[in-house]
Amino acid sequence: MRGFLASSIGVTCAAALALPLTLPASAAPAPASAARSTSGARTASTTAAPDLPGSTQSLPLTPRTRDRTLGAAPEQGLTRAGVHRFSLVGVTWSDPDTELRGQVQVRTRATGTGTWSGWQDIDTHNEDHGADPGTAERDSGHVHGSTAPLWVGDSDGVDVRVRANTAATRTVGNTDEQPSLLPTGLHLELVDPGAAPAPSAGARPATANRTATPRLAATELPALSRQATERDMVALGAKAQPYIGPRPRIVTRHGWGADEKLREKGFVYTKKVKAAFVHHTATGNNYRCSQAPSVIRGIYRYHVKSSGWRDIGYNFLVDRCGTIYEGRAGGVAKAVMGAHTLGFNTDSMGIAVLGTFGSAKPSSAAVTAIAKLTAWKLGLYGVNPRGKTYLKSGGGNLYRKGKNVRLNVISGHRDGFATECPGRQLYGKLGSARSTSARYQGR
């Protein structure tokens, strides 16, 4: 499958060959408010100036009870009004291998109206995302434990409370002890995704009839018919596959406004793409499709600046209107190593639907987008979306490291790790996505 698309945005034929692997950065990065040393420790919090492209405020939580007999206080929190505006929140802690056993709730004050929201739960089970154990990304010294991020909209005040699950007990010596289960180093992360860069004259869809240049980065990869997709592969030296879906429209990183100076340089690849893991972002469903690029910029900044990952974890993201977005940099057609399914990032790709789908149903447009994307991307590697495959576990809470695990080619996150992701409602749609994807491939 060598060389089917040479650029990180994967444009067609001549346009693809004319673009560099790394997209141009949209602007200078905002200084990280929760800067970390190589040991992973935080330094003093700072706030970016409003005219910079996004910012992160990292605020330490404080005890909300005097009960310290069991170590750290079993309830911590923070109330702050008049902070620099933000739209996405999350909680992080020092050790990525420590589980937050408890409840995290937040309420926020809307910018402009001053109205406070009701209390909202933040998903604490985010340790099942991230780079595999033993990889350079996981062992960088920068990675922190983190909740899922929650999209709250334009806000300037916040109230957060973190409560330990005191119902759990452990045996210490000959007695049962009821400990505080909160991890150390709890911080509240307030993320301003910043405004998307204004499109330049050349920031428009790339086509085979127009040669793109590094200064004119494409904002989207246009849809192609199945025949055009096959011609594109042959033109770029790839072996034509008998079953491949038409390439769907994909909004590039430049299109959703990724600041390329935030992520680490370079890319990490695996040998092939044998499976696709479907996720939900657990960021909530309170967003409009026009806000999806802002939500993605917020997740990107949270993954890199707050959680300490090298880039956004997912290879692709999908909004409720069915728009597909390029995720982790390195080439949409290439086998880019993601950080989406702990233990199974090798030879797989991660697709995250923006939203939370435990009780809410995903849109039919989003499920169709999953089918279209997998029909094309898995088709590039000769994989049947309705089939089974084997992946070797890198370690997790379901499968020991080194075990060969038989999985559906299109699996949910919970198939590789004990988690609720991608939510019961989205997980229930995967059978339909498999059948539709295979049909798009012509099977």
Side-chain angles (χ1 to χ4, degrees):
M1 304 307 294
R2 176 171 48 89
F4 17 97
L5 285 176
S7 78
S8 73
I9 60 173
V11 295
T12 60
C13 289
L17 297 176
L19 276 171
L21 189 62
T22 304
L23 285 169
S26 58
S33 62
R36 299 178 172 106
S37 68
T38 55
S39 64
R42 290 173 172 83
T43 59
S45 175
T46 59
T47 300
D51 59 341
L52 292 177
S55 65
T56 303
Q57 302 167 81
S58 184
L59 309 174
L61 302 190
T62 57
R64 285 194 163 177
T65 174
R66 293 185 178 182
D67 181 6
R68 306 299 292 273
T69 59
L70 303 175
E75 182 175 341
Q76 297 185 38
L78 176 75
T79 302
R80 190 71 62 86
V83 295
H84 177 62
R85 65 196 305 166
F86 62 93
S87 297
L88 182 139
V89 302
V91 171
T92 63
W93 54 93
S94 300
D95 186 357
D97 295 320
T98 299
E99 180 183 355
L100 195 163
R101 301 179 185 177
Q103 183 182 44
V104 180
Q105 293 183 309
V106 65
R107 65 188 188 111
T108 55
R109 188 179 72 179
T111 301
T113 67
T115 302
W116 284 88
S117 70
W119 288 100
Q120 301 182 75
D121 290 317
I122 297 180
D123 188 348
T124 61
H125 299 97
N126 200 44
E127 75 282 350
D128 45 4
H129 296 75
D132 290 348
T135 60
E137 181 173 2
R138 180 73 176 186
D139 297 338
S140 66
H142 299 288
V143 178
H144 286 73
S146 59
T147 67
L150 178 68
W151 179 260
V152 295
D154 197 5
S155 306
D156 61 7
V158 65
D159 191 3
V160 64
R161 58 192 184 196
V162 182
R163 294 171 175 168
N165 179 10
T166 54
T169 60
R170 66 183 178 189
T171 300
V172 180
N174 295 320
T175 61
D176 286 338
E177 179 180 293
Q178 191 171 355
S180 165
L181 300 174
L182 294 183
T184 60
L186 288 168
H187 278 67
L188 173 66
E189 305 288 309
L190 304 178
V191 179
D192 170 19
S200 64
R204 52 187 188 264
T207 69
N209 296 324
R210 185 182 68 253
T211 301
T213 69
R215 290 179 297 175
L216 302 179
T219 59
E220 68 180 57
L221 173 64
L224 291 179
S225 67
R226 183 185 300 171
Q227 293 75 19
T229 300
E230 292 172 346
R231 288 197 300 269
D232 231 28
M233 292 178 63
V234 173
L236 291 169
K239 181 180 178 181
Q241 295 294 336
Y243 299 104
I244 183 170
R247 189 182 68 191
R249 171 180 173 265
I250 301 173
V251 176
T252 67
R253 288 172 64 91
H254 187 73
W256 56 259
D259 181 351
E260 298 298 347
K261 292 184 179 179
L262 287 181
R263 65 174 175 84
E264 289 186 11
K265 295 180 179 179
F267 313 101
V268 180
Y269 298 99
T270 60
K271 293 182 179 179
K272 60 187 73 174
V273 178
K274 298 169 61 178
F277 285 98
V278 177
H279 305 256
H280 66 177
T281 58
T283 46
N285 303 312
N286 189 27
Y287 73 93
R288 301 184 302 275
C289 290
S290 61
Q291 293 177 306
S294 295
V295 177
I296 296 171
R297 289 197 304 277
I299 295 172
Y300 172 43
R301 178 173 281 274
Y302 184 76
H303 282 181
V304 175
K305 289 297 184 182
S306 301
S307 300
W309 303 354
R310 70 187 316 273
D311 193 352
I312 193 169
Y314 310 113
N315 298 102
F316 297 93
L317 300 99
V318 175
D319 69 22
R320 62 158 56 102
C321 290
T323 302
I324 301 168
Y325 301 85
E326 177 186 14
R328 180 163 287 208
V332 293
K334 294 187 176 183
V336 178
M337 171 80 88
H340 49 84
T341 305
L342 187 68
F344 290 100
N345 290 304
T346 297
D347 295 340
S348 73
M349 68 174 180
I351 304 168
V353 181
L354 298 180
T356 305
F357 302 107
S359 57
K361 294 181 179 180
S363 68
S364 59
V367 177
T368 299
I370 293 171
K372 289 181 176 179
L373 176 59
T374 52
W376 170 70
K377 183 65 179 277
L378 293 173
L380 294 176
Y381 293 84
V383 178
N384 183 350
R386 280 197 303 236
K388 303 278 188 179
T389 191
Y390 281 91
L391 293 178
K392 182 176 290 187
S393 172
N397 64 0
L398 276 182
Y399 303 105
R400 61 174 173 79
K401 185 175 182 179
K403 179 177 176 60
N404 282 319
V405 182
R406 189 169 186 258
L407 295 162
N408 286 311
V409 165
I410 299 179
S411 284
H413 186 177
R414 63 175 64 184
D415 294 322
F417 198 97
T419 174
E420 294 183 2
C421 183
R424 177 174 55 88
Q425 295 288 352
L426 179 54
Y427 188 76
K429 297 292 185 181
L430 296 188
S432 173
R434 293 181 192 111
S435 298
T436 305
S437 180
R439 187 169 68 249
Y440 282 130
Q441 284 190 349
R443 294 182 186 270

